[in-house]
Amino acid sequence: MVNAQNVLVGAPDQKTTGAILSAVLETELPTSPLETPDPAFQSSGYISESGLTVTPERSTSSIKDWSGAIIRQLLEEFNGTLAWEHLETNKQSLATYFGDDNVTVASATAETGEQMTAVLGAFELPRKSWLFRIKDGKKRVLIKVPDGQVTEQGEVSFIKTGAILWPVTLTTYPDSEGNNIYIITDDGEFAA
């Protein structure tokens, strides 16, 4: 039976914690969309209106019988990626884009405001644990990535007619259970 109440929208749940959070690898992950994350998880601020995209990628090889008909597909490779654009320029969003060790912040002085310096170079970005929090009214969705690494930094444009966006793609790696991404929903309807 169809039920329009099961149609969800993907709005960010950023009222109290931010919608995209990261912490050092192996930080304890929440088990429910309603659970407060470990304080080690840091929000990276506003995300652009294009939102969050989860892309599962599978490559397979075919087994064919004598006649050439495909009779089975074998999984050769799996990769799950998530992509988004940081709309806010702050220490955490720059640390996501450039890498934690590649962003420094100098406090304001009598002569300058707070200054952030970020560097690009030929180095790998850190692997971290990630949370993505989504809401639709009372309904909640939590996407957990126990082990993820920013592996693509998108093009950044500096123009007068639009915000500076910091686009990234996160590659996920399997956890001890062999899972890359967890998606947990809560319908917001509590038992009496």
Side-chain angles (χ1 to χ4, degrees):
M1 178 198 273
V2 297
N3 182 347
Q5 297 300 314
N6 292 332
V7 176
L8 298 175
V9 298
D13 187 1
Q14 60 191 21
K15 184 175 181 182
T16 57
T17 62
I20 297 180
L21 304 108
S22 63
V24 297
L25 202 58
E26 298 183 3
T27 301
E28 187 172 343
L29 299 166
T31 58
S32 160
L34 304 177
E35 188 178 329
T36 301
D38 185 300
F41 280 97
Q42 297 293 307
S43 169
S44 52
Y46 283 110
I47 306 303
S48 78
E49 67 181 331
S50 58
L52 173 70
T53 303
V54 177
T55 306
E57 300 168 20
R58 297 175 183 276
S59 63
T60 59
S61 62
S62 301
I63 297 177
K64 299 178 182 178
D65 70 5
W66 195 3
S67 70
I70 295 174
I71 59 169
R72 188 166 173 194
Q73 292 283 335
L74 298 177
L75 179 64
E76 288 185 333
E77 189 176 307
F78 172 82
N79 183 29
T81 60
L82 294 92
W84 67 94
E85 298 170 318
H86 291 282
L87 180 60
E88 196 169 329
T89 299
N90 60 33
K91 182 176 189 262
Q92 195 61 32
S93 66
L94 293 181
T96 298
Y97 188 88
F98 293 94
D100 294 347
D101 294 338
N102 304 316
V103 177
T104 57
V105 178
S107 298
T109 68
E111 291 82 32
T112 68
E114 179 181 87
Q115 294 184 353
M116 291 186 288
T117 302
V119 296
L120 283 169
F123 34 75
E124 287 188 22
L125 300 179
R127 290 168 72 159
K128 298 171 146 183
S129 296
W130 296 81
L131 300 175
F132 303 85
R133 300 171 62 88
I134 297 159
K135 71 174 182 175
D136 181 1
K138 296 186 298 184
K139 299 173 174 119
R140 297 288 184 271
V141 177
L142 174 65
I143 301 172
K144 301 189 307 186
V145 175
D147 186 353
Q149 178 182 33
V150 172
T151 54
E152 291 180 35
Q153 300 157 304
E155 186 176 272
V156 178
S157 296
F158 298 89
I159 57 173
K160 180 182 177 184
T161 57
I164 299 169
L165 300 174
W166 305 99
V168 294
T169 300
L170 184 77
T171 296
T172 63
Y173 304 106
D175 64 8
S176 60
E177 303 291 321
N179 302 313
N180 293 42
I181 301 168
Y182 294 81
I183 299 174
I184 304 167
T185 64
D186 187 299
D187 70 4
E189 299 297 326
F190 305 137

